[in-house]
Amino acid sequence: MSELKELLTKDGSISLRSLFFQENFHCLEGALKETEIKFTNPSDLKRFKNKSLNVLDICFGLGYNSASLFRNLIRQNTFLNSYALEIDEKPLEYALKNKLFRNLWDPKVLRILNSLFQNCEYKDQFFECNILWGDARKTINDIPKNIKFDLIYLDGFSPQKCPQIWSVEFLEKVIQRLNTNGYLITYSSSAAIRKTLKNFGLCIFNIKPILTSKNSWSNGTVAIKKISQDHLNSFLNFEKLSLMEEEHLLTKASIPYRDPSLNSNTKDIIQKRVQEQLFSNLKTSKEWREKWGMTK
Ligand SMILES: C[S@@+](CC[C@H](N)C(=O)[O-])C[C@H]1O[C@@H](n2cnc3c(N)ncnc32)[C@H](O)[C@@H]1O
């Protein structure tokens, strides 16, 4: 699983490429930049100043999403209870040995990451952090049942490469852990993922792109169980889906990934979905792209 190749991204932060999944951990524009734009900013952390929150970081990797969270919460005296799920220890081990990575963070953030690596936990007056190593489809069951999360980060490899993390059955387990006003945040704007979350009754929002062009319309998705109009007006980093995005959810691309046993391999999940798409009467995403002028 852990054949990894080092990458230097354009903002000067390091990342990895998984030779097993044939995918980079981050976009080449910047690992740190991606974390801040797609996870930290949409989290709207100021809401928790001098308060407490629970966070679940699924697919922890090198730990950028949690490290950036820790950094922001340390500055505002927030009490944190966090859980991270990750199948492979190598990315964090690699990150902690890497000088460029270590230089990004203050000593307390590094102490937490080191302790997670060595002891699977960290505890002080403000923070209680845990990491559960293993397949997230199983380890999610080991989180104490009474904990609901205010923020859930979902940062698996893309659905086509790692569908296990995006199946209807796994997402149902994830949503069961989301607090009523909690945010589930992912970099993915896949129609299949958005439709699955919507079918579970969540309100879906688009993380605003930094530069709007016809091919770059999203920085990901925020899903929330319940939302008031006041709350809606206060959003800075995300917005309601456009008509174009809503119509994306009516195409074959919205057919979900299924893993009924929560034990299937990539090939089986993808093949089952391709079969379902073949027999579906929904529009193709090519037709959708043509309608919205996204073809070259
Ligand atoms: C895109 S990377 C995550 C990047 C990460 N958030 C970071 O800041 O570096 C995807 C991660 O998912 C992990 N992963 C893949 N399949 C998994 C599974 N079934 N359960 C838990 N983690 C998994 C990989 O080992 C990899 O570290």
Side-chain angles (χ1 to χ4, degrees), residues 154-167:
L154 192 52
D155 199 11
F157 290 116
S158 65
Q160 278 297 313
K161 296 284 169 63
C162 186
Q164 293 86 340
I165 291 299
W166 307 97
S167 72

Side-chain angles (χ1 to χ4, degrees), residues 93-152:
E93 182 181 19
Y94 166 82
L96 289 169
K97 283 186 184 151
N98 185 287
K99 199 162 174 233
L100 278 179
F101 181 84
R102 288 201 314 270
N103 284 347
L104 291 173
W105 312 105
D106 24 282
K108 175 160 174 181
V109 173
L110 290 174
R111 268 202 307 284
I112 303 172
L113 295 179
N114 266 307
S115 180
L116 287 177
F117 182 65
Q118 279 164 17
N119 312 317
C120 305
E121 61 175 17
Y122 173 88
K123 212 170 177 178
D124 71 13
Q125 183 199 350
F126 282 99
F127 284 10
E128 276 195 43
C129 311
N130 304 273
I131 191 160
L132 305 176
W133 299 109
D135 189 331
R137 292 176 295 178
K138 306 270 181 303
T139 54
I140 195 164
N141 299 319
D142 299 333
I143 301 170
K145 297 279 175 282
N146 58 329
I147 302 182
K148 297 271 184 192
F149 293 97
D150 304 295
L151 290 172
I152 299 183

Side-chain angles (χ1 to χ4, degrees), residues 25-26 59-65 86-87 134-136 155 157 162:
F25 279 50
H26 298 95
C59 294
F60 182 86
L62 296 100
Y64 274 100
N65 297 340
E86 171 58 54
I87 203 165
D135 189 331
D155 199 11
F157 290 116
C162 186

Side-chain angles (χ1 to χ4, degrees), residues 6-274:
E6 181 179 318
L7 294 174
L8 179 63
T9 66
K10 281 193 196 151
D11 69 357
S13 61
I14 54 119
S15 183
L16 293 169
R17 177 172 180 78
S18 165
L19 302 182
F20 180 83
F21 287 100
Q22 286 291 305
E23 201 161 276
N24 297 346
F25 279 50
H26 298 95
C27 67
L28 293 174
E29 277 306 301
L32 180 62
K33 193 169 161 190
E34 183 172 12
T35 284
E36 288 171 346
I37 292 173
K38 298 183 179 173
F39 291 92
T40 316
N41 295 349
S43 302
D44 200 1
L45 293 172
K46 293 227 160 51
R47 293 177 294 153
F48 303 102
K49 192 165 187 235
N50 300 318
K51 296 186 184 153
S52 66
L53 88 158
N54 297 337
V55 179
L56 174 60
D57 182 359
I58 304 175
C59 294
F60 182 86
L62 296 100
Y64 274 100
N65 297 340
S66 285
S68 171
L69 171 86
F70 300 152
R71 165 153 70 198
N72 281 276
L73 297 184
I74 290 166
R75 292 176 184 162
Q76 58 175 43
N77 286 345
T78 298
F79 293 88
L80 170 71
N81 183 16
S82 77
Y83 280 81
L85 309 180
E86 171 58 54
I87 203 165
D88 188 359
E89 296 183 16
K90 286 276 178 309
L92 178 57
E93 182 181 19
Y94 166 82
L96 289 169
K97 283 186 184 151
N98 185 287
K99 199 162 174 233
L100 278 179
F101 181 84
R102 288 201 314 270
N103 284 347
L104 291 173
W105 312 105
D106 24 282
K108 175 160 174 181
V109 173
L110 290 174
R111 268 202 307 284
I112 303 172
L113 295 179
N114 266 307
S115 180
L116 287 177
F117 182 65
Q118 279 164 17
N119 312 317
C120 305
E121 61 175 17
Y122 173 88
K123 212 170 177 178
D124 71 13
Q125 183 199 350
F126 282 99
F127 284 10
E128 276 195 43
C129 311
N130 304 273
I131 191 160
L132 305 176
W133 299 109
D135 189 331
R137 292 176 295 178
K138 306 270 181 303
T139 54
I140 195 164
N141 299 319
D142 299 333
I143 301 170
K145 297 279 175 282
N146 58 329
I147 302 182
K148 297 271 184 192
F149 293 97
D150 304 295
L151 290 172
I152 299 183
Y153 295 158
L154 192 52
D155 199 11
F157 290 116
S158 65
Q160 278 297 313
K161 296 284 169 63
C162 186
Q164 293 86 340
I165 291 299
W166 307 97
S167 72
V168 176
E169 293 77 9
F170 181 66
L171 289 176
E172 183 174 20
K173 278 186 174 285
V174 172
I175 292 165
Q176 282 165 358
R177 295 307 189 125
L178 189 64
N179 230 338
T180 317
N181 302 116
Y183 295 2
L184 187 162
I185 303 178
T186 175
Y187 72 89
S188 175
S189 47
S190 140
I193 310 315
R194 285 181 166 180
K195 186 68 179 297
T196 302
L197 296 170
K198 202 171 170 182
N199 284 348
F200 280 119
L202 275 70
C203 310
I204 306 301
F205 300 91
N206 181 39
I207 301 176
K208 291 179 193 170
I210 300 290
L211 294 168
T212 316
S213 80
K214 62 183 179 179
N215 290 321
S216 129
W217 41 272
S218 177
N219 266 323
T221 304
V222 178
I224 306 178
K225 278 188 182 163
K226 225 176 182 179
I227 199 132
S228 66
Q229 191 58 43
D230 275 1
H231 193 182
L232 207 93
N233 295 338
S234 68
F235 291 160
L236 297 171
N237 296 295
F238 48 96
E239 60 197 357
K240 281 187 170 172
L241 298 196
S242 63
L243 183 58
M244 177 191 88
E245 291 173 282
E246 290 285 359
E247 285 189 10
H248 195 201
L249 307 191
L250 302 174
T251 69
K252 288 186 194 224
S254 73
I255 290 180
Y257 297 84
R258 297 183 195 278
D259 178 12
S261 60
L262 284 167
N263 199 19
S264 315
N265 61 37
T266 303
K267 198 169 145 228
D268 287 349
I269 303 175
I270 297 292
Q271 268 180 1
K272 215 180 269 172
R273 180 167 181 261
V274 169

